[in-house]
Each structure stands twice: as C-alpha cells, then as structure tokens.
Amino acid sequence: QQQVKQSPQSLIVQKGGISIINCAYENTAFDYFPWYQQFPGKGPALLIAIRPDVSEKKEGRFTISFNKSAKQFSLHIMDSQPGDSATYFCAASAKGGSEKLVFGKGTKLTVNP
Amino acid sequence: NAGVTQTPKFQVLKTGQSMTLQCAQDMNHNSMYWYRQDPGMGLRLIYYSASEGTTDKGEVPNGYNVSRLNKREFSLRLESAAPSQTSVYFCASSTQWNQPQHFGDGTRLSIL
C-alpha cells in the first residue's frame, strides 16, 4: 500500500517557469513532511520541510503548500532554472515510535534553457 | 565534513554470493537507515536502527540482514545475492524521526 502518492512522474518546464509537484497521503498520523532533491549519481538531500501547524513554508524560490483537510502538500519552484533539473521526492513520517520516512515515487524535473 | 560514507561505491556479484555494504556517519546521529532505490519505485526502506543496539525491519527486509556495530556504523548484508537485489543502496542517518535524514552517495550493486 503506497502511503504517499506523488505526481507527476516527470515534468518539463521552461527556464523561468513555475514547477509544481503534488503529493497526497492517507495516514492522518503523519506529522512531518520533507522534500528531498536528488541529482544523478548522488544521494537525496533535504530541500525543505513542513510540519502541519503551518499551511505554507518558503525558502528562496522553493515553497511548500500544505492542506491538512485535503491531506495534500505540494512543492512549488518559482523561476525554475536548468540547475533545478533533478528528481524530487516528497516524504512523510509519523511520531509514535516508528521512526520511518515514507517516500513518494519521485518526480523527474527537467528545466529547459 | 564527511557526513555519511558508504563503501563500496560499485559492486558486481554473482547469484548466490554474499557481501556486506558498509555505512558510517560522523554526525553523532542516533538513527540510521538502509534504503534501496529502483527506477519508478522511489526509496524503499529495508531496515533501520532507531538507536545503538536496536534494529527493525522496514518495507522490504527479505534477503537482507543488518548490524548496528556502534553509534557510527550500520552495515547491510546480503547472505545469498539474487538478481532481484540489483539496485542502488543508500544509507542515511538522522538525529530523530522528525529531523532531516542525511544520505550517502549510494552503492550501485549488480547481481548477475
């Protein structure tokens, strides 16, 4: 059972455009929602994370929007750049001893110059 | 800053061979994790260790064993490798569940 559903699988945008990646979850116990960025040949690296007590978090050109009632969260990349081309993973974890992050299947973003 | 170090970076095995993937972190993190990454499947948790001395199964533990040797080191062992275990393996560590996980650069494992 996939606990975090991520879409789209791949995304192509033009330089300067907005990239939007969406994730949905079912487990209402999830309490931490990070996004990871992965470049080819490298391990994932934390990009930005949000907790459910806020609806939006912004760091530079990257924004997480969180909708608790809809059980959805999304990553927005403003003014997308070719250097943003990477695979992005959303994830979620729940307090309560499980200590486990559940990842979405990833979105491959290509930003054309 | 080394962060999370994985060895080896690449390995080719024959079916039935065994091997151990090594992972070490220098950030004094309590929790460590092993994932496998396959195309279109995202990252799937194999085993994790919430603290030194404890290990627990993740989503796909079959065919693997782990050892939390000390706070720094967490190894993953394939006792009898199978072609289905061809994958990229990532080790990660974190202070606790709601803190960032720091990943190594992976071990690319092919089993013929």
Side-chain angles (χ1 to χ4, degrees), chain B residues 20-67:
Chain B
T20 300
L21 280 61
Q22 305 287 351
C23 174
Q25 53 93 7
D26 62 1
M27 295 171 284
N28 201 35
H29 285 167
N30 293 317
S31 302
M32 298 186 73
Y33 313 83
W34 276 105
Y35 295 90
R36 61 177 290 173
Q37 184 175 30
D38 303 290
M41 299 296 291
L43 290 148
R44 293 183 292 170
L45 184 65
I46 304 171
Y47 270 93
Y48 68 103
S49 171
S51 61
E52 186 178 356
T54 68
T55 60
D56 284 287
K57 295 179 180 179
E59 181 184 354
V60 289
N62 291 343
Y64 306 96
N65 286 301
V66 291
S67 295

Side-chain angles (χ1 to χ4, degrees), chain A residues 9 31-32 36 38 41-44 46 51 89 93-95 97-101 103-106, chain B residues 31 33 35 37 40-43 45 48 50 57-58 90 96-101 103-105 108:
Chain A
Q9 280 188 312
D31 210 17
Y32 174 63
Y36 284 79
Q38 184 181 29
K42 295 293 186 180
L46 180 72
R51 290 176 172 77
F89 294 95
S93 65
K95 191 175 182 179
S98 76
E99 299 281 344
K100 293 183 286 188
L101 263 182
F103 284 85
K105 291 189 176 182
Chain B
S31 302
Y33 313 83
Y35 295 90
Q37 184 175 30
M41 299 296 291
L43 290 148
L45 184 65
Y48 68 103
K57 295 179 180 179
F90 288 100
Q96 61 185 51
W97 68 277
N98 62 351
Q99 295 301 316
Q101 289 191 14
F103 285 79
D105 282 338
R108 284 144 185 84

